Amino acid sequence: MPELHVISESFPDDPALDLAVSQALLERVAADELPETLRLARSGPMVAFAKRDAVAPAYGAAVRAAREAGFEPVLRMAGGRAAVFHEGTLVTAHAVPDPDPQSGIHERFRAEAGLVARALRRLGLDARVGEVPGEYCPGRYSVNAGGERKLAGFGQRLVKRGAHTGAVVVCTGADRVREVLLPVYEA
């Protein structure tokens, strides 16, 4: 069985540094300087914008909306649209070496979503994998509560010889996610 390196250090007061740590772990795992690494972290308040958000005409207005709500805007490593992180969310960052990372995209999504859903079921939740109609940052591998409410979303970043699958699990404070995302998405 391959070695799994687990890290729980986080930098909630510096969202940019927190994201940079996950990026650095991916690069080191891909370069074979570290074994497969799982990072579990507690985040500070941030809105992690996707690259396609950053090129949208109203990106500046969305950044202002995030800041006005008390959330630091950053660029996320992967994913489709802006995601919200705060003190009530758990961040997972799983970096794996892979000589052909493109071929395993869906399998990694399935595995990570399944792992999060199983963990939440062990805590007594009716956790399921699948998109909930109307969810923010929709994805077929989202984890939801009873098919009604999104609990976790996933994104992936590929580099030469490595892949990173990240998740944000909303443990508490779902109302804070909505409060900041409404004006951000509106912009």
Side-chain angles (χ1 to χ4, degrees), residues 4 13 26 28 39 48-49 51-52 60 64-65 73 75 81 89 94 97 103 119 123 141 165-166 170 180 182:
L4 176 64
D13 295 331
L26 168 59
R28 292 194 61 203
R39 181 170 179 248
F49 289 95
K51 289 179 183 177
R52 72 185 214 191
R64 280 190 299 282
L75 284 176
R81 286 292 184 195
T89 62
H94 190 183
S103 67
L123 295 172
Y141 300 107
T165 307
V170 180
V180 69
L182 288 174

Side-chain angles (χ1 to χ4, degrees), residues 89-104:
T89 62
L90 172 67
V91 178
T92 69
H94 190 183
V96 297
D98 190 331
D100 181 22
Q102 186 72 33
S103 67

Side-chain angles (χ1 to χ4, degrees), residues 90 92 112-113 116-117 120 127-132 135-145 149-155 166-171:
L90 172 67
T92 69
E112 298 290 329
V116 169
L120 292 173
R128 306 173 188 180
V129 176
E131 186 175 331
V132 175
E135 73 179 49
Y136 82 93
C137 198
R140 82 173 103 160
Y141 300 107
S142 293
V143 173
N144 67 71
R149 190 174 63 252
K150 183 173 184 167
L151 299 173
F154 299 83
V168 57
V169 182
V170 180
C171 302

Side-chain angles (χ1 to χ4, degrees), residues 29-30 96-105 108 158-163:
V29 167
V96 297
D98 190 331
D100 181 22
Q102 186 72 33
S103 67
I105 290 173
R108 279 187 299 275
L158 309 180
V159 297
K160 184 177 181 180
R161 304 191 54 74

